[in-house]
């Protein structure tokens, strides 16, 4: 069980955070609105694994990303984006499918996505990926790579190796029926993954898609009942509810200005991971996660030019 007042111990490794899954293009509307009736879109690098890997690198710890893109112009755009962020791109596989893309409304609440999937689920397991797991302290993945094969098989093997080598495993249960094959019970599969991970961070929408309606406390209890070790239920402007099964804490949002919510959850994960690697207690790390998310919310796009974690800590008086 995680003690919220203690730091998480890690063994020495050559890498801190390994993120596995989708690397894709976010096409974000240039105007606010809840539909796609806008005059244009701007492309941004997207995909939770790359967002988090870039973020934690900027916050001051080491990261590596394993993803798949197409052998096309958008794939090249994404690889160049990682390179410009001074990231190692050796874990990016190039496959014959088109690079995946998400079209997103610009929103100050929850953005509305339209999914165009191709290369992202072509990620294959190989010796290089296995070594990346063995050499890391933390593994992170989301619903995207487990929603289709072969990337689902890849993640299952990665988790097996990660558990053997005692990595901290974080799972974003961002289930959405549109990213799964028609007729497949994605909800049941996502639920089966919960006991295999250490930290899970559902939003209210995620929880309702998996369990149906319920209060935040009820939803947290449902994740714990399935074997979750630490549940972080994000509640938008109402902050978050966090529980290890023995202790439950409410956290207030630190956001003071919201320009765009795209990538706010990734920013939270990034702050949390950077803080636990740097030796902060879990409670302190949660506060820093919310501070990094609040900082990101002031800018458009999933990845912004984050300063070092200590600068954000000072800005939010933590």
């Amino acid at each position: 069980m995680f003690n919220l007042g203690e730091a998480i111990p890690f063994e020495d490794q050559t890498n801190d955070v390994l993120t596995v899954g989708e690397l894709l293009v976010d096409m974000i509307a240039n105007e606010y609105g809840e539909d796609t009736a806008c005059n244009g879109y701007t492309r941004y690098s997207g995909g939770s694994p790359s967002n988090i890997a870039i973020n934690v690198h900027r916050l001051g710890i080491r990261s590596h990303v394993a993803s798949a893109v197409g052998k096309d112009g958008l794939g090249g755009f994404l690889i160049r984006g990682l390179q410009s962020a001074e990231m190692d791109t050796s874990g990016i596989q190039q496959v014959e499918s088109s690079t995946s893309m998400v079209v997103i409304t610009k929103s100050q609440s929850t953005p509305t996505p339209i999914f165009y999937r191709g290369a992202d689920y072509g990620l294959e397991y190989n010796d290089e990926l296995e070594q990346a797991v063995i050499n890391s302290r933390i593994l992170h993945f989301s619903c995207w790579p487990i929603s289709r094969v072969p990337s689902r098989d890849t993640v299952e093997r990665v988790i097996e190796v990660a558990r053997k080598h005692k990595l901290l495993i974080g799972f974003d249960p961002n289930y959405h029926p549109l990213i799964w094959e028609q007729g497949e019970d994605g909800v049941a599969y996502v639920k089966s993954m919960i006991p295999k991970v250490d930290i899970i961070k559902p939003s209210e929408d995620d929880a309702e898609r998996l369990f149906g309606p319920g209060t935040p406390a009820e939803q947290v209890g449902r994740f714990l009942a399935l074997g979750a070790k630490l549940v972080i239920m994000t509640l938008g402007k109402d902050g978050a509810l966090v529980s290890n099964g023995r202790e439950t804490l409410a956290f207030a949002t630190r956001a003071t200005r919201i320009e765009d919510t795209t990538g706010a959850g990734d920013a939270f994960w990034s702050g949390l991971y950077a803080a636990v690697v740097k030796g902060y207690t879990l409670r302190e790390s949660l506060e820093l996660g919310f501070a990094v998310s609040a900082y990101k919310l002031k800018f458009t796009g999933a990845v912004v030019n984050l300063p070092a974690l200590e600068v954000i800590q000072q800005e939010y008086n933590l």
Side-chain angles (χ1 to χ4, degrees):
M1 179 179 291
F2 290 103
N3 187 325
L4 299 178
E6 295 180 356
I8 297 175
F10 291 102
E11 296 181 359
D12 288 338
Q13 293 291 359
T14 57
N15 183 54
D16 295 313
V17 180
L18 170 65
T19 61
V20 178
E22 73 280 9
L23 176 59
L24 45 80
V25 172
D26 284 336
M27 296 292 287
I28 302 178
N30 294 333
E31 297 89 31
Y32 289 109
E34 297 309 316
D35 56 35
T36 55
C38 68
N39 293 324
Y41 294 82
T42 300
R43 70 179 183 178
Y44 296 88
S45 295
S48 180
S50 63
N51 295 346
I52 293 171
I54 293 172
N55 285 344
V56 299
H57 175 72
R58 289 173 173 168
L59 292 169
I61 65 172
R62 301 163 298 181
S63 62
H64 187 75
V65 57
S67 298
V69 300
K71 297 176 180 179
D72 52 29
L74 291 179
F77 164 74
L78 293 170
I79 291 172
R80 290 192 300 274
L82 287 171
Q83 292 169 339
S84 68
E86 301 180 337
M87 298 295 297
D88 177 6
T89 59
S90 62
I92 308 304
Q93 301 174 16
Q94 290 189 274
V95 300
E96 296 299 335
S97 300
S98 299
T99 297
S100 299
M101 180 171 63
V102 180
V103 178
I104 307 171
T105 56
K106 188 176 181 182
S107 175
Q108 293 176 314
S109 56
T110 302
T112 302
I114 303 172
F115 307 109
Y116 297 92
R117 298 195 66 181
D120 74 90
Y121 59 91
L123 181 67
E124 297 276 2
Y125 191 87
N126 56 30
D127 291 341
E128 183 176 340
L129 178 53
E130 181 168 296
Q131 284 304 308
V133 179
I134 293 171
N135 294 333
S136 297
R137 292 170 163 179
I138 296 171
L139 167 69
H140 178 91
F141 70 100
S142 72
C143 278
W144 274 77
I146 63 172
S147 64
R148 300 195 182 182
V149 293
S151 59
R152 176 187 300 170
D153 300 331
T154 298
V155 171
E156 288 180 349
R157 293 186 67 182
V158 164
I159 290 172
E160 183 180 343
V161 175
R163 286 167 64 89
K164 178 181 177 181
H165 290 272
K166 297 180 171 54
L167 275 71
L168 179 73
I169 304 177
F171 175 37
D172 191 334
N174 53 344
Y175 172 78
H176 197 295
L178 294 180
I179 67 174
W180 294 74
E181 295 282 9
Q182 280 192 332
E184 183 174 11
D185 191 348
V187 168
Y189 186 83
V190 172
K191 289 179 178 178
S192 76
M193 300 298 289
I194 292 172
K196 300 178 182 180
V197 306
D198 298 306
I199 301 176
I200 189 165
K201 187 196 72 63
S203 67
E204 289 182 282
D205 288 341
D206 297 332
E208 186 162 345
R209 291 187 186 113
L210 292 171
F211 296 109
T215 66
E218 288 170 340
Q219 301 287 33
V220 167
R222 290 165 181 168
F223 282 100
L224 291 169
L226 288 177
K229 301 172 185 66
L230 182 69
V231 182
I232 305 164
M233 168 75 80
T234 55
L235 308 172
K237 63 181 177 56
D238 295 321
L241 201 62
V242 178
S243 181
N244 59 7
R246 182 184 61 194
E247 183 180 9
T248 300
L249 298 176
F251 289 80
T253 181
R254 293 189 171 273
T256 55
R257 179 165 64 90
I258 300 176
E259 178 68 22
D260 176 32
T261 57
T262 308
D266 296 336
F268 168 82
W269 277 114
S270 305
L272 174 68
Y273 288 150
V276 296
V277 166
K278 287 174 176 282
Y280 291 92
T281 69
L282 190 48
R283 188 183 314 225
E284 291 168 337
S285 299
L286 288 162
E287 291 283 14
L288 285 164
F290 292 119
V292 173
S293 182
Y295 186 95
K296 182 269 149 230
L297 285 167
K298 297 185 291 184
F299 305 93
T300 297
V303 177
V304 302
N305 192 21
L306 295 173
L309 182 66
E310 291 76 13
V311 173
I312 294 179
Q313 180 184 22
Q314 195 169 44
E315 178 171 333
Y316 288 90
N317 298 314
L318 295 172

